[in-house]
Amino acid sequence: MADLLYPPVIGAARAWFKALDLRFDIRGTTHVPSRGGAVLVSNHISYLDFIFTGLAARPAKRLVRFMAKESVFRHKVSGPLMRAMKHIPVDRSRGEDAYAHALKALRSGEVIGVFPEATISPSFTLKDFKTGAARLAQEARVPLVPMALWGTQRLWTKGHKRDFGRNHFPVSIQVGEPIEPGQEESALSVTERLRDRMQELLEAAQRTYPATPQSAADAWWLPAHLGGTAPTPAQAQAL
């Protein structure tokens, strides 16, 4: 079935980015394979991360099918859009259905987008990873493509008002070399390798990010270990 809605949605997103005057630093998009199945794996710091993760696949002319919580598909606006773009609903009480759906898509040559932290990280650091992405890649015999986003939390994230003003926010997107999971390797070991690589990409994005907080009140989007006022991982977990 042709993707009739997905390309116009991408076009609308690009127009919106221009209206917001976002500045992008996108690196490593050549690591996204131009054909065949792959699991694109990103950190999760914003409600809009699926848009920016998908943007990383556009130079390879790939459309990403994201695994997202089932409630998004029940929403009267987002639901029809998500279904039309062939994203994959995840009912956490019946995760095996979403897994089977994603596995079938990978074997048919699709790119599946996964946020292994499952939910937004309020500390803007990497949380513990679920092993689902690794298991999918192993079973489908496809690569894991790690990536990191930075700056997206300034637009809209958990516990803060969204800011869609014309603020010239920089957004960093770093894509790393594909990871080939060993067939005899445990999913936990693959996940640990994936998380280590994504940590490197995230730190690189933070080092090169061309903006700093302009005041103490503006330091909320910077992690505590970098001098910001975001909660530490322990504080975030307690909350």
Side-chain angles (χ1 to χ4, degrees):
M1 185 181 297
D3 280 287
L4 299 179
L5 183 64
Y6 213 148
V9 168
I10 292 171
R14 289 181 181 275
W16 185 47
F17 296 156
K18 186 174 182 179
L20 293 179
D21 200 24
L22 296 182
R23 290 179 289 135
F24 287 97
D25 178 14
I26 306 178
R27 307 184 187 192
T29 57
T30 55
H31 295 311
V32 179
S34 59
R35 61 178 61 86
V39 183
L40 189 60
V41 189
S42 175
N43 64 320
H44 201 5
I45 53 177
S46 165
Y47 290 116
L48 304 174
D49 286 339
F50 69 97
I51 300 177
F52 298 103
T53 301
L55 187 64
R58 293 311 299 145
K61 299 181 179 179
R62 304 302 301 272
L63 299 175
V64 183
R65 316 299 179 182
F66 287 95
M67 301 184 74
K69 61 184 180 180
E70 196 267 341
S71 61
V72 177
F73 291 77
R74 295 198 305 266
H75 191 274
K76 63 181 180 180
V77 176
S78 62
L81 291 173
M82 295 292 282
R83 287 189 290 272
M85 290 187 284
K86 304 176 189 174
H87 297 309
I88 300 171
V90 179
D91 181 345
R92 290 174 183 170
S93 66
R94 298 182 60 185
E96 66 277 5
D97 291 345
Y99 184 91
H101 188 164
L103 185 60
K104 182 179 179 180
L106 287 169
R107 287 173 169 165
S108 68
E110 297 276 14
V111 176
I112 298 298
V114 177
F115 298 104
E117 298 166 279
T119 58
I120 290 173
S121 170
S123 67
F124 309 129
T125 61
L126 294 184
K127 297 164 59 179
D128 291 337
F129 279 20
K130 308 293 185 183
T131 60
R135 291 188 290 111
L136 280 170
Q138 284 181 303
E139 192 166 351
R141 296 180 181 270
V142 300
L144 291 156
V145 181
M147 62 176 291
L149 301 171
W150 192 245
T152 62
Q153 73 273 33
R154 300 178 69 188
L155 290 167
W156 190 16
T157 193
K158 185 180 295 185
H160 294 274
K161 291 182 179 180
R162 56 191 173 191
D163 188 347
F164 295 160
R166 194 174 171 85
N167 288 317
H168 314 278
F169 284 155
V171 171
S172 178
I173 302 174
Q174 300 254 354
V175 186
E177 294 182 4
I179 295 172
E180 299 289 347
Q183 291 302 304
E184 303 303 320
E185 189 176 5
S186 71
L188 182 59
S189 174
V190 175
T191 301
E192 289 173 348
R193 286 202 290 131
L194 175 66
R195 191 181 187 281
D196 288 345
R197 182 61 182 127
M198 287 174 62
Q199 180 65 38
E200 294 172 0
L201 292 168
L202 180 58
E203 290 176 2
Q206 291 169 338
R207 282 195 304 270
T208 58
Y209 192 68
T212 56
Q214 299 303 300
S215 65
D218 186 45
W220 64 266
W221 56 267
L222 201 61
H225 74 277
L226 294 179
T229 56
T232 65
Q235 290 170 336
Q237 186 174 16
L239 291 172

